[in-house]
Amino acid sequence: MTTTAIPRLRGVYYGWVMLLTLSFTEVTSWGILYYSFSVFLTPMQAEMDWSIAQMTGAYSAAILISGLAAIPVGRWLDRHGPRWLMTAGSIAATVLVIAWSRAESLVFLYVVWGLIGVTLAAVLYEPALQAVAVWFRRKRSRALTILTFVGGFASVIYIPLAAWLVDSYGWRDALLVLAAILGVTTIPLHAFVLRRRPADVGQEVDGDPVALVEASSRRAAEPGITTREAMRTGVFWWLTGAFVLTYFGNVAITVHLIPYLIREGYGAGFAAAAAGLIGLLALPGRL
């Protein structure tokens, strides 16, 4: 891809365009593929007579598969960048949400969510964070903060929206609306905006002037270690354990809070608002 084929804003570093694009698409991807699931548990149970445990098993399988898929996804990102991976993931996710709306058997639900698990690895934070890290070095902390802060609005927006759609149109049509939103707001942005590295648009990391970079081309490379070396350190395993426990608690609360509140006699709108507030109150922590 030549630099002339890419829209350029004079004086604007393309990394910021990438960052804002990913921040927007992450809100939609997280909101629909991750947070909205809990909204559909109670209406699905009422129609299909599946237990909460049976349905959340499909969701758990998706999370497990997304972790396994992260390994080949990471290798792809290193070799090819995020553009086509995240585009294909968004297309597949849109189709799978439509398929979810047609679920008539528990086996079909598990198959759909198993495939959704693959798309989670392709469109959620992991590829987005890698893309941002490639485009920013000195400004990386600021860029990653912006990405995760904006992404924190996913539950605030999409849990109440999904609850309103279910109440207005039923859970199957609500999923069709969410699939349309997912497709329209993520597929074109991933396909037409994302690029692998600054050199693809004739720029340097952090938007530094080319002349300045050429004059300091002998600067030290960014420090790093191999995966094998990292896995020999205690820090790696402490961080891994902390992330696993944090994610475990986060997923459990996210999935079960709304059905629990509804069973306790609260309305679906209140339950959705309460779940959305958790994401809102988490925003200061992200900063």
Side-chain angles (χ1 to χ4, degrees):
M1 179 65 68
T2 61
T3 59
T4 56
I6 298 172
R8 295 288 296 276
L9 298 175
R10 184 170 304 212
V12 175
Y13 177 46
Y14 197 75
W16 295 114
V17 178
M18 288 261 299
L19 173 63
L20 293 177
T21 297
L22 287 169
S23 297
F24 178 75
T25 60
E26 286 302 300
V27 170
T28 304
S29 298
W30 275 93
I32 295 174
L33 298 174
Y34 180 84
Y35 286 109
S36 71
F37 180 81
S38 61
V39 175
F40 293 92
L41 286 174
T42 299
M44 287 172 64
Q45 183 182 36
E47 178 181 331
M48 307 305 297
D49 200 29
W50 298 329
S51 70
I52 295 294
Q54 288 174 321
M55 290 182 289
T56 55
Y59 188 81
S60 298
I63 298 298
L64 176 61
I65 290 171
S66 72
L68 298 175
I71 298 173
V73 162
R75 291 172 178 165
W76 173 277
L77 289 168
D78 286 340
R79 295 171 184 170
H80 307 288
R83 184 183 181 187
W84 298 120
L85 173 76
M86 297 190 76
T87 301
S90 296
I91 294 172
T94 301
V95 173
L96 288 167
V97 172
I98 295 173
W100 176 17
S101 74
R102 303 298 96 191
E104 296 289 350
S105 72
L106 197 60
V107 172
F108 184 80
L109 182 71
Y110 271 75
V111 171
V112 167
W113 269 95
L115 295 173
I116 287 177
V118 178
T119 71
L120 296 181
V123 300
L124 295 188
Y125 274 144
E126 287 77 6
L129 293 171
Q130 189 270 357
V132 171
V134 169
W135 282 76
F136 294 91
R137 183 172 298 173
R138 288 181 292 101
K139 302 174 183 178
R140 185 176 294 163
S141 294
R142 180 185 303 174
L144 294 178
T145 298
I146 292 172
L147 176 65
T148 54
F149 182 80
V150 175
F153 284 94
S155 61
V156 179
I157 296 171
Y158 280 98
I159 289 179
L161 175 61
W164 178 79
L165 289 172
V166 169
D167 183 61
S168 300
Y169 304 106
W171 71 271
R172 294 185 185 276
D173 288 343
L175 283 172
L176 293 178
V177 174
L178 291 178
I181 294 173
L182 181 65
V184 169
T185 59
T186 63
I187 295 171
L189 289 175
H190 288 158
F192 294 111
V193 177
L194 299 187
R195 293 297 182 271
R196 181 180 180 185
R197 54 196 170 202
D200 292 344
V201 297
Q203 293 182 328
E204 300 293 336
V205 176
D206 290 320
D208 289 339
V210 176
L212 177 62
V213 175
E214 290 176 348
S216 58
S217 59
R218 296 185 181 86
R219 66 185 177 180
E222 189 173 20
I225 61 175
T226 66
T227 302
R228 189 180 299 274
E229 290 171 335
M231 293 180 67
R232 293 198 194 104
T233 66
V235 171
F236 174 85
W237 293 107
W238 278 111
L239 282 172
T240 299
F243 285 138
V244 168
L245 292 174
T246 301
Y247 204 47
F248 180 84
N250 181 279
V251 171
I253 293 172
T254 299
V255 172
H256 291 287
L257 179 61
I258 292 178
Y260 168 76
L261 290 175
I262 292 175
R263 284 198 307 271
E264 291 298 309
Y266 296 95
F270 174 85
L277 281 175
I278 294 177
L280 183 64
L281 295 174
L283 293 177
R286 291 174 183 251
L287 290 177

